[in-house]
Amino acid sequence: MTSTRGATYFALALLAPALIYILAIVAYPLFDTIVLSFTNAAMRPAYDFVGWANYERIFGAGNFTEVIIRTFVWTFFSVSMKMVIGMFGAVLLNAAIPGQALFRILTMPPWIVPMAIGIFMWGWMYNGQFGMISGLLQNFGILSGPFPFLAYGNTAFWATIVTDVWIGVPMVTIYFLAAMQSIPKDLYEAAWTDGAGRFYRFRRITLPMMVPAILTMSLLSLISTFNSFDIIWILTQGGPSGSTTTMIIDTYKTAIGSYRYGEGAARAVVICIFVSLFCVVYFRAVRKLAQGEAK
Amino acid sequence: MIDRYRWYELVGLYAGIALFMVFVLAPFVEGFMVSLKPLSQLFSTPYNFIPQNGSFTAYFTMWTTVEGLGRYIFNSLFISAIVTLAVIAIVVPAAYAFARFQFTGSGLLLGGFLAVNMFSGAVLLIPLYRLMRAMGLLNSYWAMIVPGIAFLIPSSIWLLRTYMARIPRELDEAAWVDGASRLYTLRRVILPLAMPGVVVVAIMTFIGAYAQQFIFALTFNSRQEFMPLPVGLFAFFGRQEVLWNELMAASFVGILPVMIVIVFLQRYLVAGLTAGAVKQ
C-alpha cells in the first residue's frame, strides 16, 4: 500500500480519538502521580513540593519494605500456581476425548463472571462458622471445630492467593491450549514413529515449543497479580493485622483511606517502577529467545 | 490423533478433568446451593452440601432485603453498555489504522497502547480521583464510565487489529480503484467483513466493563442511585448479619446477563479468542 503523506494523515486521524483518550486518562494521570509523589498533597486543595520526603518516609519505616516482600511472595506463589494449574488444564482439555468441547466451556466461568461476584462466593466458602471448606473438613473429621480462614494472618494470606489463582486459571488454560494447538502435528508424529512415549513427547516437544507462550502469560499474569486489588479488598481489606496488605492495598489505604495523596503517589510510583522492570526483563528474554531461534 | 488412549489413560484423564472442574466450578455450585437453602439450614451443623427442602424463596425475598438491588443491576448493565459502545467507536478506526497503515512511529505507538495495560486503574487511582473531581464527574455514572473506557481500549485495539489484518488488502485497493474514499472503504467494505471480530471485541469489552466496576465505583461514587451491582452487594456483604442465601441469589441474578450474552454469542467468542491468542 502506498505510504503517501495523505495516507499517514488519514491513519493519524483514525487514531486520534484513541490516542487523545489514553493521553488524558492514562498518560496524564501517570505524570500527575510522579509529580504528586514529590508533594504533601492531601484533602485540602493547596500543597507544596517536599522533595524526596515521601520516599524517605516510606522507606524509612520498616513497614513498607515488609509490604514489598509480602507482595512479591504473594505474587510469586499466585503466578506459579496459575502456570502449573493452567498447564495441567490445557493438557487435559487438549486430549481428544468425548466431552472435550463441553469441558472447555465449563472452564470459563471464573474468568467471565464479574470478579467481585466470584469473590463473594469464595467469601462464603471461607466463612468460619458455616462455610463449605470448614464444614467439609469438619464432616470428614479433619477439623474438630469451625475454622475461620480469613481471621488468621497465615490462612488469610493463602486463602487470598487461592482465590486469585482461581480467577486467573481459565485465561491461562485457554491461552496455553491455543498455543498447544498451534504446535505442528508432524513433530509429534515423527517422535511417535521413533517410539517416544506420551510424557517424553510432552517434555521434549510441547514444553519447549511453549516457552514463548509461557513467558508471555507469566508476564501478563505477573502484572495483573501484582496489581490485584478486588480479591484482597473484598475478602480481608488487607487484614488481619496487615497479613494480606500488598503494595496496591497499602497504596489504596494511604491515599484513598487516609487522604495522604502525596505519600500514596510515592507508593504508586514504586509499583510502576517494579512493573516497568518486569517488562524490561520480559522483553530481554523474548529477544534472547528470538536470537536463539535464528542461530 | 496418532495413538489411542489406553483405558487407564482415559481413566486418568477424566479423573484429572473432574479434579480441574471441581476447582473451577465449586464456588458456583456451592453458591447456587446456598441460594436455595433456607437461612436456618445455612447456620446449622453439620454442614450439608445439598439443600434440604430447598426453594427459590431467596430469589423473591432478596428484592426487598437488598435495598436497591434492581437499581444496581440496571446501573451495571447501563454502565457496561455505554462503555462498550464508546470503546467500539474509538477502537474500530484505530485498529484499522494499525492494520493497514505503516508510518513513522506506528510500531512504537502500538507498543505504547500495549504498555497502558501495565498500569492498572488501581495504581492511577489518586490522580484519576483528582481528575474526576476537577471535571465534576464524581458521584455520577461518568465517574465509572470515563476511566472504565480507557483501560479497555488497548487490548481491544490489539485484538481487532489482528482480526482486520487478515482481511485481504486487495479489497481496500479494489474499492479505491472504483473511486471510493478511504473512509467509505472502511465503513462499507472493511467493517462488514470485520463484524465477527467487532462482536468478539464488544463481548470482551462488555464482560470487562461489568467486571471492572469495583474499584472505580468504590472510590469515585458514593451515591446509591449510581452504584453498580458489585459495590452495591459489597455494602450488603460488609454488614454484620449477612443473609448469605439472598446475597448468593442476588449474585446469580447479577451473573445472568453476562451468561445470556455468552450463550448466544459463544461460537463467535471461542473462534475469535483462539485466533487472537495464537496470532500475536
Side-chain angles (χ1 to χ4, degrees):
Chain A
M1 190 159 294
T2 47
S3 155
T4 59
R5 188 182 288 178
T8 304
Y9 284 143
F10 179 65
L12 284 177
L14 292 179
L15 281 173
L19 206 57
I20 292 168
Y21 206 96
I22 295 295
L23 284 177
I25 309 293
V26 180
Y28 165 73
L30 192 61
F31 170 75
D32 196 28
T33 305
I34 299 170
V35 174
L36 277 176
S37 75
F38 294 104
T39 70
N40 59 4
M43 272 277 264
R44 60 189 187 289
Y47 52 83
D48 299 310
F49 281 87
V50 293
W52 293 94
N54 285 327
Y55 292 93
E56 277 162 19
R57 186 170 311 142
I58 60 177
F59 283 108
N63 180 26
F64 188 60
T65 342
E66 233 172 75
V67 171
I68 295 182
I69 295 169
R70 183 181 304 119
T71 311
F72 273 91
V73 175
W74 199 87
T75 308
F76 173 79
F77 282 110
S78 180
V79 172
S80 14
M81 277 158 77
K82 276 182 214 176
M83 293 303 127
V84 171
I85 299 176
M87 183 62 81
F88 179 74
V91 168
L92 291 172
L93 296 181
N94 195 33
I97 50 172
Q100 188 199 42
L102 176 72
F103 295 135
R104 285 184 189 173
I105 291 171
L106 286 179
T107 309
M108 293 190 187
W111 177 25
I112 289 161
V113 160
M115 207 194 260
I117 286 178
I119 306 168
F120 293 146
M121 294 179 180
W122 278 97
W124 164 257
M125 300 221 300
Y126 290 138
N127 183 294
Q129 288 287 304
F130 311 101
M132 181 194 198
I133 300 174
S134 168
L136 279 181
L137 290 178
Q138 282 178 74
N139 286 5
F140 286 119
I142 298 166
L143 280 179
S144 54
F147 190 86
F149 290 91
L150 298 175
Y152 300 102
N154 205 5
T155 46
F157 183 79
W158 289 101
T160 47
I161 289 181
V162 168
T163 306
D164 194 72
V165 170
W166 176 78
I167 284 181
V169 152
M171 194 184 155
V172 178
T173 306
I174 301 292
Y175 187 84
F176 281 175
L177 184 63
M180 221 171 255
Q181 285 168 347
S182 71
I183 301 172
K185 293 277 175 291
D186 43 337
L187 285 178
Y188 290 104
E189 273 156 28
W192 180 63
T193 11
D194 291 346
R198 233 184 263 289
F199 182 69
Y200 186 85
R201 273 176 278 157
F202 174 76
R203 203 163 55 90
R204 302 311 281 274
I205 302 172
T206 314
L207 224 43
M209 291 293 280
M210 284 187 55
V211 168
I214 296 172
L215 267 179
T216 306
M217 209 57 232
S218 352
L219 175 85
L220 289 179
S221 156
L222 181 67
I223 292 170
S224 67
T225 308
F226 202 77
N227 291 325
S228 181
F229 176 82
D230 298 17
I231 294 164
I232 298 179
W233 195 256
I234 292 175
L235 288 179
T236 64
Q237 304 196 12
S241 56
S243 57
T244 53
T245 300
T246 55
M247 289 171 78
I248 208 86
I249 299 285
D250 187 45
T251 307
Y252 188 85
K253 278 184 172 170
T254 312
I256 309 295
S258 340
Y259 305 104
R260 299 203 302 264
Y261 299 152
E263 256 183 75
R267 287 171 160 83
V269 168
V270 176
I271 295 176
C272 290
I273 291 173
F274 277 125
V275 171
S276 312
L277 280 178
F278 299 150
C279 291
V280 171
V281 172
Y282 166 76
F283 284 118
R284 282 258 169 94
V286 169
R287 197 177 305 154
K288 226 178 190 175
L289 216 66
Q291 280 170 354
E293 269 170 24
K295 264 175 208 166
Chain B
M1 206 60 242
I2 26 187
D3 49 352
R4 301 189 44 204
Y5 296 105
R6 285 172 240 272
W7 70 268
Y8 54 85
E9 284 177 322
L10 271 178
V11 170
L13 276 172
Y14 278 109
I17 288 178
L19 199 67
F20 188 67
M21 289 295 147
V22 166
F23 176 63
V24 170
L25 298 176
F28 295 117
V29 178
E30 166 68 359
F32 186 63
M33 294 297 173
V34 167
S35 74
L36 299 181
K37 289 177 187 173
L39 206 57
S40 60
Q41 203 191 346
L42 273 182
F43 299 141
S44 69
T45 39
Y47 165 84
N48 269 316
F49 177 64
I50 308 285
Q52 271 127 27
N53 47 50
S55 69
F56 284 92
T57 319
Y59 287 83
F60 297 101
T61 52
M62 67 179 185
W63 299 99
T64 45
T65 331
V66 187
E67 195 190 329
L69 179 62
R71 182 82 202 180
Y72 298 151
I73 294 174
F74 168 80
N75 288 343
S76 267
L77 293 174
F78 178 73
I79 294 167
S80 300
I82 301 287
V83 168
T84 306
L85 288 177
V87 167
I88 292 297
I90 293 173
V91 154
V92 166
Y96 182 67
F98 279 127
R100 282 293 189 269
F101 299 95
Q102 292 258 315
F103 50 91
T104 333
S106 62
L108 201 68
L109 215 52
L110 193 58
F113 275 111
L114 189 63
V116 171
N117 277 341
M118 292 168 17
F119 302 102
S120 73
V123 182
L124 300 180
L125 219 51
I126 309 157
L128 278 175
Y129 179 82
R130 283 159 47 93
L131 198 65
M132 294 296 125
R133 196 178 52 187
M135 295 196 288
L137 301 181
L138 291 178
N139 298 320
S140 73
Y141 283 125
W142 298 111
M144 293 155 273
I145 292 171
V146 170
I149 293 168
F151 294 95
L152 292 166
I153 288 177
S155 52
S156 308
I157 289 187
W158 273 77
L159 198 65
L160 199 56
R161 181 193 71 109
T162 32
Y163 197 91
M164 282 182 164
R166 281 203 305 260
I167 299 170
R169 275 158 189 263
E170 288 75 25
L171 289 174
D172 304 50
E173 278 154 15
W176 295 351
V177 172
D178 289 346
S181 77
R182 288 202 170 95
L183 206 59
Y184 186 88
T185 312
L186 168 58
R187 246 183 36 220
R188 289 298 160 90
V189 182
I190 301 304
L191 198 54
L193 286 170
M195 226 38 202
V198 174
V199 171
V200 172
V201 174
I203 305 171
M204 301 288 289
T205 311
F206 187 86
I207 296 169
Y210 206 114
Q212 77 179 6
Q213 282 166 359
F214 188 70
I215 193 166
F216 295 141
L218 190 70
T219 319
F220 303 152
N221 172 52
S222 52
R223 290 250 212 99
Q224 208 190 4
E225 51 184 312
F226 302 120
M227 250 176 215
L229 187 71
V231 176
L233 287 184
F234 181 58
F236 183 70
F237 180 81
R239 284 191 211 152
Q240 280 301 307
E241 281 176 42
V242 182
L243 303 174
W244 283 97
N245 52 350
E246 296 188 5
L247 180 71
M248 289 301 151
S251 299
F252 273 99
V253 173
I255 295 173
L256 212 59
V258 180
M259 283 304 175
I260 291 171
V261 171
I262 299 298
V263 168
F264 277 104
L265 300 170
Q266 178 239 102
R267 220 154 22 108
Y268 282 111
L269 194 63
V270 174
L273 277 181
T274 42
V278 180
K279 248 196 126 359
Q280 266 199 345

